[in-house]
Amino acid sequence: LGCGGKCYETPMSLALYRKYRPQTFADVIGQTHVTRTVQNQLAQGTVAHAYLFTGPRGVGKTTAARLLAKAVNCLQPKKGEPCNACEACRAITEGRALDVVEMDAASHTDVENVRENVIKAVSFAPSQYARKVYIIDEVHMLSASSFNALLKTLEEPPAHALFILATTEIHKVPETIISRCQRFDFRRISVVDLVARLKQIVADEKVVVSEDVLDSIARLSEGCARDAESLLSQVLALGDRKITMKEASLVLPVSSIETVVAIVDQLFSNNAAAAMREISRAQDEGVDLERLVRDITEMFRDLLFAKLGQEVSNFDESTRMKKDIWIEKWETARFVTTIEIWLAAQNQMKHTVMPTLPLELACVKCISDFREQGV
C-alpha cells in the first residue's frame, strides 16, 4: 500500500510499508469495493456502529480501519475522505489521539482485558473528538468469554462509539459477532496493482529498479502489499541507485518466473524431457522448488481462467503473447487434470528426499496421460 508520496515526513529508517501507509481511501490499492462503499457511507452520514474487516494479511485491513477512524473524526472531511490537515487527522495519524484505541486481540485475549479496555471505557464520552473508535486487530484471538462480553456492547453501543474488528481467520469469529457488524472482505492484491504501487514508491525514493525486479517482488509477495514493500526495502538497502535483477538476486529468493514459462512452454510442446531438464537446471541454480511448483500450478490456474473467458491480470509481458497460443492448444478438461497433477506434486514434495522427483513425474504425467487417451 502507499500514500503516493503525500504522507508526513518520516525517518529514512522507517520501513517502507509504514512510510508509505495510505493517508486517504484513494491511496488504498486493490480494495475499491470496500473503500468506495465506506466513502459513500461517510459522505451520506450513514456510518455503521460496527465493522468487520476480513481477508489475508497485509492487504490493508488495519490501514482502512485507521482511515475510517480518521474520517469520522475529521473536522473538514471532503467527500468521505479525511482532510489530513486538521488537528484530529494529525493526532490520529501520529497515534496520539486518546479517542482512537487500538487493541491487538492476540495479547488481550482474556475477558478482564476486554472489560477494562473496551466495555467500561466505551461508556465515557469522547475526550476530544466526535467519535470514540475501537480497532481490535486479529479479533479471532479473543476467548469465548471475551466474545460474550463484547457482544452485549455491540448490541447496544453508545451513539459515540464505533467498533472496527479485523481478522485473517473469519471462521473463528462467532456468528453472533459477525451478524452485528457490517462485513467487508478484503482481497489479495493483483500483481499488476502491486507492480504499479512499487513503481510509485521507487520513483518517490528516486531509485531506478528494473521492471523484472518489481514483477518478481510482486509475485513473491503473493498478493500481500506489506510483504511486497518489505522485500522492496531489502532491495533498496543494497544502496545502488540503479538496481537490476543481477543486484536484486543477492537478497531476493531466486525468481522462478522464467523457469516456469520455459517448463510450461515445453509441456504445451509435449516435450517432457526438455521440461525435466529445466527443472534440473532450476535446482542447480538454487531456485526454490516449492515455490516453483506453486508458480507452475498458479500459471495453469490462470490459463484455465483465461480459457473460460475470465479476465486474468497476472500475465506479464513475457507470458501475455504466449497465453493466447497456449489456451488454444488444450481443451478445458486437460487444464483441470494438469492442475490436479501439479497439486499432487506439491503434496508429494513434503514426503520425499528427492525434491525434484515429484516435479519430474508431473511433467511426464502431463504428457503421457493424455497421449494414452489420444488427446
Side-chain angles (χ1 to χ4, degrees):
L1 304 178
C3 63
K6 294 173 280 190
C7 52
Y8 296 101
E9 290 294 325
T10 49
M12 286 299 292
S13 59
L14 203 59
L16 289 181
Y17 73 85
R18 294 180 61 193
K19 182 177 180 181
Y20 291 95
R21 188 184 296 278
Q23 299 303 320
T24 65
F25 288 111
D27 295 329
V28 178
I29 62 171
Q31 311 299 341
T32 307
H33 62 293
V34 176
T35 56
R36 183 176 299 168
T37 304
V38 172
Q39 279 184 268
N40 288 339
Q41 291 180 336
L42 287 162
Q44 296 165 11
T46 57
V47 175
H49 72 278
Y51 290 84
L52 177 59
F53 292 165
T54 178
R57 62 185 180 82
V59 296
K61 299 185 300 297
T62 305
T63 293
R66 291 171 180 165
L67 288 172
L68 179 53
K70 190 158 54 172
V72 296
N73 285 306
C74 179
L75 303 178
Q76 299 173 316
K78 302 173 183 177
K79 296 181 180 179
E81 290 277 23
C83 70
N84 286 317
C86 68
E87 169 56 26
C89 284
R90 292 200 303 271
I92 294 170
T93 298
E94 295 164 13
R96 55 182 174 84
L98 298 177
D99 291 328
V100 177
V101 180
E102 288 194 41
M103 288 177 55
D104 179 7
S107 55
H108 295 82
T109 59
D110 64 83
V111 67
E112 289 307 317
N113 270 312
V114 173
R115 285 198 182 108
E116 289 296 326
N117 294 318
V118 180
I119 297 170
K120 290 183 180 179
V122 76
S123 60
F124 296 102
S127 60
Q128 296 173 295
Y129 309 122
R131 303 291 293 271
K132 182 173 281 191
V133 183
Y134 289 88
I135 300 173
I136 307 179
D137 204 8
E138 298 301 342
V139 70
H140 64 272
M141 296 291 287
L142 290 179
S143 65
S145 55
S146 295
F147 274 125
N148 289 334
L150 180 61
L151 181 60
K152 183 65 175 176
T153 304
L154 288 179
E155 287 176 333
E156 300 175 4
H160 59 257
L162 171 61
F163 290 91
I164 310 172
L165 317 180
T167 179
T168 54
E169 299 185 49
I170 188 66
H171 60 281
K172 293 184 179 180
V173 181
E175 286 295 331
T176 50
I177 296 291
I178 296 174
S179 66
R180 285 160 177 81
C181 303
Q182 283 199 10
R183 172 177 168 175
F184 289 90
D185 289 68
F186 284 64
R187 302 165 181 164
R188 291 191 183 277
I189 302 168
S190 71
V191 170
V192 172
D193 285 342
L194 281 176
V195 169
R197 180 71 211 106
L198 296 176
K199 283 182 179 179
Q200 190 175 352
I201 291 175
V202 297
D204 292 341
E205 293 290 315
K206 296 180 172 58
V207 179
V208 177
V209 181
S210 63
E211 187 155 349
D212 59 338
V213 173
L214 299 181
D215 184 76
S216 179
I217 290 172
R219 291 181 181 278
L220 287 167
S221 66
E222 298 181 338
C224 174
R226 186 168 61 235
D227 284 0
E229 291 172 359
S230 294
L231 283 170
L232 181 61
S233 291
Q234 295 178 46
V235 170
L236 297 186
L238 293 169
D240 298 320
R241 306 315 293 176
K242 185 174 182 179
I243 300 171
T244 65
M245 185 57 78
K246 181 180 179 181
E247 291 81 26
S249 63
L250 297 172
V251 293
L252 290 181
V254 177
S255 173
S256 62
I257 187 60
E258 290 183 3
T259 304
V260 170
V261 173
I263 292 171
V264 171
D265 207 20
Q266 295 298 345
L267 293 178
F268 277 104
S269 300
N270 290 324
N271 192 337
M276 293 165 70
R277 285 195 295 272
E278 290 292 342
I279 290 170
S280 179
R281 183 180 62 80
Q283 184 184 38
D284 293 342
E285 292 179 357
V287 169
D288 183 340
L289 294 181
E290 289 188 3
R291 178 167 293 280
L292 176 62
V293 71
R294 289 201 304 270
D295 287 346
I296 293 171
T297 307
E298 182 181 356
M299 176 70 77
F300 279 114
R301 172 191 175 275
D302 290 341
L303 289 169
L304 172 61
F305 273 65
K307 180 74 175 180
L308 295 173
Q310 300 291 319
E311 185 67 32
V312 180
S313 60
N314 289 341
F315 294 107
D316 60 12
E317 291 300 324
S318 66
T319 56
R320 198 167 288 124
M321 292 184 66
K322 288 179 176 289
K323 174 201 72 172
D324 295 331
I325 299 172
W326 287 342
I327 63 177
E328 287 297 319
K329 285 190 173 184
W330 288 2
E331 296 300 320
T332 301
R334 185 163 182 176
F335 281 107
V336 172
T337 303
T338 300
I339 292 170
E340 291 172 345
I341 289 171
W342 286 100
L343 286 173
Q346 289 185 49
N347 292 327
Q348 292 163 3
M349 286 185 72
K350 303 171 186 175
H351 309 290
T352 179
V353 294
M354 300 176 64
T356 61
L357 183 57
L359 281 72
E360 292 162 345
L361 291 176
C363 291
V364 175
K365 287 180 181 179
C366 285
I367 295 169
S368 62
D369 286 6
F370 286 94
R371 277 182 175 165
E372 291 171 5
Q373 299 170 27
V375 179

